[in-house]
Amino acid sequence: MYKQLPLSRFVSTTQESRHLADLVQQLPLSASQFGLVLTSVLGPADENGSSGINFPTQNIDEEPEELHPHFRSGPLPQSSLSPGTSEPTVIDITIQGHAHCFVAHCEKEMMQAAIDAAESGSSTDNATGENMLQALKKQPDSVIARHYDNICSIICTILEHKAKTFKRKGNREDGKLEPEYFYSLNDIWLPALAAYGELTGGNRGVKFVISEHDLLLQEDEVKARCAQLENDQGLTLGTMEERDTALMLELNGVQYDAHYGRYIIKRSACFRSKKGNMVAWAGTHGDFSIAALHVLPDYRKLGLGRLVLWHVAREHMSLARKAIEIGGTASETIPSTALYAHADCLEHNLSTMVFMERCGWRRIGMYNWVGLYANRKA
């Protein structure tokens, strides 16, 4: 039904850094994609990376290179529209291992269409896949319909690329391939993904964001409170260590293996008691979202959760600015109101949602982490 579309790869750390600076314009909706590119930039530098403005690109059909798994589409045309009636569809994608992530530059416009179709208020909670389908039904020949078709073509491109490149054999009796996983998928795109096969497992959650500007407004208060806790109760702020991984994983709401646990603690903050035991902590996921936020019961009501949350988010903003400068963009040209830290909360975890809002974070939409057994016939 949908054709494959050409994608270009960012082939150097320097180019990815400039891509990171460009993604700032799509924040906060591009938060996960921004974080994935940030992870790549902060990883091992590509010694062969160009420092020029115009970078060569690889076609998606070339041999995959896990060091640089980030792509950009198009811009994809909307041929039946009159010139100037709409921006073409542009999508940024990460294709890495079994897991994929993408953000469309039209996402805000599409979410608003879904919210309008709900006719039940302006909350971003109404930007769902079901309401997106209602919007498309009401406007079958509209700009949003053409954007949606292009998103479906991008999903087709990702799946066909993986099938051709990796040629993995199925591990199920029915002969289906191993599932492809899509993470931080905006809820409005879920029906498009479901058209390609059987969805399996996964989680659905609310994405929260906070701007660097709002973090800086809290800085003096946060530092004063940390000093008070150390003086009055001997609670000291630091980072998690490898010995803390087992406890962090044991008490986390979502189960991860030890290898990923060691990744989470790489960029973290925690409070320790006088005995050196960890009593409150937060870490970092692979897309630079806040991970594993937890406070032991005996240490609640002290504000420790808010403090470790602030410190990890603040570190993320600092690292983002350093990564952006690698590509030659001056950090001071990006205002503090343009950068965002982000965190995801499972949709049933109402207490954590209330906590995040009390800490100054705001919700921007529903997102999914889901597997797909692709039939590749759509």
Side-chain angles (χ1 to χ4, degrees):
M1 180 184 301
Y2 297 104
K3 64 180 180 179
Q4 294 185 55
L5 298 170
L7 303 178
S8 294
R9 186 195 303 270
F10 300 97
V11 296
S12 75
T13 300
T14 308
Q15 187 181 7
E16 286 176 344
S17 173
R18 296 190 177 184
H19 178 40
L20 194 66
D22 183 49
L23 279 172
V24 170
Q25 300 176 43
Q26 305 304 320
L27 286 171
L29 294 179
S30 66
S32 284
Q33 190 69 36
F34 184 90
L36 290 167
V37 179
L38 175 57
T39 298
S40 291
V41 175
L42 295 174
D46 180 2
E47 294 181 358
N48 296 321
S50 170
S51 59
I53 295 177
N54 297 315
F55 293 95
T57 57
Q58 285 179 283
N59 187 277
I60 191 172
D61 293 332
E62 295 184 32
E63 189 69 20
E65 182 183 346
E66 288 298 301
L67 182 62
H68 301 292
H70 310 294
F71 301 83
R72 171 166 283 182
S73 72
L76 310 178
Q78 297 187 350
S79 56
S80 64
L81 297 174
S82 299
T85 59
S86 173
E87 290 294 324
T89 317
V90 177
I91 303 116
D92 292 301
I93 309 120
T94 294
I95 304 177
Q96 189 170 32
H98 290 265
H100 324 298
C101 179
F102 67 82
V103 61
H105 292 202
C106 61
E107 213 144 295
K108 183 177 180 179
E109 176 185 354
M110 301 294 282
M111 289 178 70
Q112 188 59 55
I115 292 170
D116 293 342
E119 299 179 350
S120 59
S122 58
S123 170
T124 56
D125 290 350
N126 286 327
T128 64
E130 180 180 356
N131 289 333
M132 186 74 258
L133 291 178
Q134 289 298 317
L136 294 170
K137 185 177 181 180
K138 293 178 179 178
Q139 306 175 61
D141 297 318
S142 65
V143 171
I144 64 167
R146 312 228 184 277
H147 280 316
Y148 197 83
D149 284 348
N150 282 335
I151 294 297
C152 289
S153 293
I154 282 296
I155 295 174
C156 174
T157 301
I158 292 172
L159 295 175
E160 291 302 324
H161 168 64
K162 294 305 294 294
K164 179 170 58 177
T165 305
F166 293 96
K167 298 180 180 178
R168 295 194 305 275
K169 294 182 179 180
N171 60 354
R172 291 171 30 150
E173 293 181 359
D174 57 14
K176 291 184 178 179
L177 292 173
E178 299 172 13
E180 302 291 347
Y181 290 98
F182 287 77
Y183 51 91
S184 198
L185 180 74
N186 194 315
D187 209 78
I188 61 174
W189 307 130
L190 203 57
L193 189 65
Y196 286 90
E198 174 190 348
L199 299 181
T200 178
N203 294 298
R204 185 169 184 258
V206 178
K207 185 172 289 295
F208 284 86
V209 299
I210 189 169
S211 70
E212 183 184 39
H213 173 76
D214 289 339
L215 288 170
L216 291 171
L217 290 177
Q218 299 174 11
E219 186 167 15
D220 290 344
E221 180 186 352
V222 166
K223 290 183 176 179
R225 180 56 178 160
C226 288
Q228 183 183 25
L229 287 167
E230 183 170 5
N231 291 332
D232 296 348
Q233 302 191 38
L235 296 173
T236 55
L237 182 69
T239 59
M240 283 193 275
E241 302 171 1
E242 188 166 354
R243 63 186 172 98
D244 302 313
T245 305
L247 177 62
M248 181 272 292
L249 291 173
E250 178 186 350
L251 297 179
N252 196 48
V254 179
Q255 296 303 305
Y256 302 113
D257 60 29
H259 176 76
Y260 190 62
R262 288 189 290 272
Y263 182 91
I264 288 174
I265 70 172
K266 183 178 179 181
R267 297 182 177 95
S268 62
C270 73
F271 277 97
R272 297 187 186 277
S273 67
K274 292 180 180 178
K275 295 181 178 180
N277 298 322
M278 189 170 66
V279 300
W281 57 86
T284 302
H285 280 304
D287 66 346
F288 263 79
S289 60
I290 304 293
L293 176 64
H294 192 84
V295 181
L296 296 183
D298 290 345
Y299 292 87
R300 291 172 185 171
K301 308 298 183 182
L302 296 174
L304 301 184
R306 177 187 173 222
L307 296 174
V308 292
L309 180 66
W310 185 92
H311 276 89
V312 175
R314 187 71 187 91
E315 181 189 12
H316 291 177
M317 298 297 89
S318 177
L319 289 170
R321 288 191 175 278
K322 291 178 181 177
I324 286 171
E325 287 182 339
I326 290 174
T329 301
S331 176
E332 59 269 21
T333 64
I334 297 176
S336 62
T337 52
L339 286 179
Y340 289 83
H342 68 118
D344 299 294
C345 180
L346 294 177
E347 61 178 335
H348 58 75
N349 195 345
L350 299 181
S351 60
T352 299
M353 292 185 198
V354 171
F355 166 77
M356 296 296 289
E357 289 172 343
R358 286 177 177 172
C359 292
W361 295 58
R362 64 181 176 91
R363 53 203 298 164
I364 61 168
M366 305 297 295
Y367 287 78
N368 297 270
W369 289 256
V370 63
L372 173 71
Y373 286 110
N375 58 29
R376 308 184 192 282
K377 294 180 181 180

